[in-house]
Amino acid sequence: MKTLKRACPYSLWEIDAIEGWLDDMATRGYLLQEHKGGQFVFCKTEPQNARHRIDVLEDQYANTKVRREEYRDFGWEHVTDFSEHLDIYRAAREDAVELNTDEEHLRLALKKAQRRNWAIYLFLCLLCAVPIVWMVVMYVQHGIYYSLLTRPLVKLFSLPLLFVYIAFVFFAEYRAYRQLKRRTLLERTHHTRQREKAGYRTKRWTVALHLLFYLSLFLAPFSSQFGIGEPMDVPEDAYRVYSAPELMPEGGSDDALDGVIHYHHGLSEEYTWSQRGDTRYVHSYQVTVYEARWDWLARRYAEEQARLSGAETLHIPGHEGAWFYEGVPPMFIYQDYRPADKQNVVLLDGNRVVEIRYEGDADLKAAALAMN
């Protein structure tokens, strides 16, 4: 026997629309056989007129066997279970008495189903709110533009996708709720083939956004650079002006620059190198260069870092902007490690932002002001 599987194009509480849809499927030659795995299974038959009704069980533990026998006496045959609170019946004869003839009783049952669904959506939103609030706190502390420059595109898209998905689901359910309030449920006129197509489009978009969000979460770890990143060879004169011996000949390290660590992000390329001091076995001098995709993004990032750190504005020839501050950079603000002699300079030049972090006895501010 040829079968057809279809998802329901309507919300759970749009009972009369579902009933009309099942009737319409019968006129197309597809008779409901069962509800399985969230889908309706239809068997291919000759087109026929059929009446389907969904019975709302106020008590899921009621004796359904006795109930079905009583309905059989009224001319109704049980077809399948729709959920723990819903049974689907089909008229076994033309003179079968109508089910659900009490408008208020049916509307009350639907409102219960509606409240249950809204409670589920609210719970899911609360679960989503936890990482969202955490991310907002991180953005306030570290800066939103830092996240834009140092995240792969997959991670940048995951949060907006989540917002779009939640908004889309709520809009679809609210629209169904408004339609439910305006209708007389016993008229059985809610189903149309046009609404059926619209319902399938809504479900496809919902599933697509849902899958895209989880796909972004799945791909995010594979698109990130962890640890030291990717070492790369650079020309000897690349970023030479920012090396410790060039910037601070008297207080800088004599160690040669042996390579640059490269991090590829969605909206920037990051290059980082460190040089050790003469007496300490720590990276006391570190330079990070962000080459942003756009000049405005680089400027916003540099200004944001200066604002979050309370930096002092410097005027250095050849640079559009320059700032100096002491302490831990904003992206490390959650750490307790706050050495007093930590010095930082932020330089802006077009789409390039240079961050110099130094821990030592030399004066980084004076060295930056003396740059040619």
Side-chain angles (χ1 to χ4, degrees):
M1 179 184 299
K2 185 178 180 180
T3 60
L4 174 68
K5 293 183 179 181
R6 285 287 182 88
C8 181
Y10 300 108
S11 300
L12 181 63
W13 58 79
E14 298 178 279
I15 289 182
D16 62 326
I18 300 174
E19 293 171 345
W21 173 61
L22 296 176
D23 294 348
D24 189 43
M25 290 295 292
T27 63
R28 304 182 201 179
Y30 293 99
L31 198 63
L32 178 63
Q33 184 176 3
E34 63 177 334
H35 179 260
K36 183 178 180 181
Q39 290 187 317
F40 287 94
V41 180
F42 299 89
C43 59
K44 180 63 176 175
T45 63
E46 293 295 326
Q48 56 184 287
N49 293 323
R51 278 190 297 161
H52 294 81
R53 293 295 179 262
I54 297 177
D55 184 50
V56 181
L57 302 175
E58 294 185 1
D59 183 6
Q60 68 182 96
Y61 302 105
N63 193 332
T64 55
K65 183 177 181 180
V66 174
R67 190 185 188 97
R68 292 170 185 175
E69 290 178 354
E70 292 177 351
Y71 281 12
R72 186 179 299 111
D73 295 337
F74 296 150
W76 293 91
E77 174 190 0
H78 178 261
V79 181
T80 184
D81 298 333
F82 190 17
S83 72
E84 59 183 12
H85 292 279
L86 302 175
D87 282 341
I88 300 180
Y89 292 85
R90 183 165 51 240
R93 57 179 190 264
E94 293 183 1
D95 62 343
V97 297
E98 186 60 62
L99 297 181
N100 297 329
T101 57
D102 187 344
E103 173 78 20
E104 293 302 320
H105 175 76
L106 180 58
R107 189 171 291 275
L108 179 62
L110 292 184
K111 286 183 177 180
K112 289 182 179 180
Q114 186 185 60
R115 285 196 296 267
R116 186 166 54 251
N117 279 273
W118 278 109
I120 294 174
Y121 288 132
L122 181 60
F123 175 73
L124 293 177
C125 287
L126 290 176
L127 288 181
C128 296
V130 174
I132 291 175
V133 170
W134 179 82
M135 293 179 71
V136 170
V137 172
M138 292 298 101
Y139 289 155
V140 171
Q141 290 183 335
H142 303 164
I144 186 173
Y145 292 104
Y146 173 74
S147 298
L148 292 178
L149 283 182
T150 59
R151 296 291 186 274
L153 288 177
V154 172
K155 280 191 174 182
L156 293 178
F157 288 149
S158 60
L159 187 59
L161 276 174
L162 177 61
F163 280 119
V164 172
Y165 171 71
I166 293 176
F168 189 82
V169 170
F170 265 91
F171 173 75
E173 299 301 336
Y174 177 74
R175 184 176 59 180
Y177 165 72
R178 295 293 297 175
Q179 291 171 345
L180 174 65
K181 290 187 66 175
R182 290 195 299 263
R183 292 183 293 109
T184 300
L185 301 177
L186 298 179
E187 291 180 354
R188 313 287 176 190
T189 58
H190 196 215
H191 165 73
T192 63
R193 295 191 180 182
Q194 183 178 3
R195 286 202 70 247
E196 178 185 354
K197 293 179 181 179
Y200 279 128
R201 284 197 300 268
T202 300
K203 285 184 177 292
R204 283 195 292 267
W205 275 106
T206 303
V207 172
L209 290 172
H210 191 80
L211 292 178
L212 282 175
F213 171 69
Y214 281 104
L215 181 63
S216 66
L217 294 182
F218 175 77
L219 293 179
F222 300 100
S223 59
S224 302
Q225 295 284 352
F226 295 101
I228 62 172
E230 175 189 354
M232 60 179 299
D233 295 328
V234 294
E236 293 182 358
D237 59 346
Y239 310 119
R240 182 175 177 82
V241 67
Y242 302 119
S243 65
E246 292 292 327
L247 187 61
M248 299 181 295
E250 296 181 358
S253 169
D254 293 330
D255 294 346
L257 177 64
D258 57 0
V260 175
I261 306 301
H262 170 239
Y263 300 82
H264 173 72
H265 305 302
L267 299 181
S268 75
E269 300 286 339
E270 178 183 350
Y271 306 91
T272 301
W273 68 82
S274 301
Q275 291 177 280
R276 295 182 179 179
D278 296 330
T279 59
R280 305 182 189 184
Y281 292 97
V282 295
H283 290 177
S284 59
Y285 185 86
Q286 179 174 309
V287 178
T288 301
V289 179
Y290 295 107
E291 292 185 345
R293 293 290 178 262
W294 306 284
D295 291 0
W296 67 266
L297 182 58
R299 171 169 289 279
R300 293 291 186 274
Y301 168 68
E303 292 174 346
E304 182 180 63
Q305 293 299 298
R307 176 179 56 82
L308 292 175
S309 60
E312 173 189 355
T313 302
L314 305 179
H315 298 282
I316 300 178
H319 293 82
E320 299 178 23
W323 299 266
F324 171 81
Y325 65 94
E326 296 181 350
V328 178
M331 67 281 295
F332 304 136
I333 199 169
Y334 58 90
Q335 295 182 358
D336 295 330
Y337 176 64
R338 296 173 179 269
D341 57 349
K342 193 78 169 181
Q343 304 176 60
N344 304 269
V345 168
V346 180
L347 304 172
L348 173 65
D349 184 13
N351 71 326
R352 177 182 295 179
V353 178
V354 179
E355 293 182 331
I356 303 174
R357 294 190 282 276
Y358 172 66
E359 182 181 346
D361 299 328
D363 190 342
L364 180 62
K365 175 182 175 181
L369 290 172
M371 290 178 59
N372 296 324

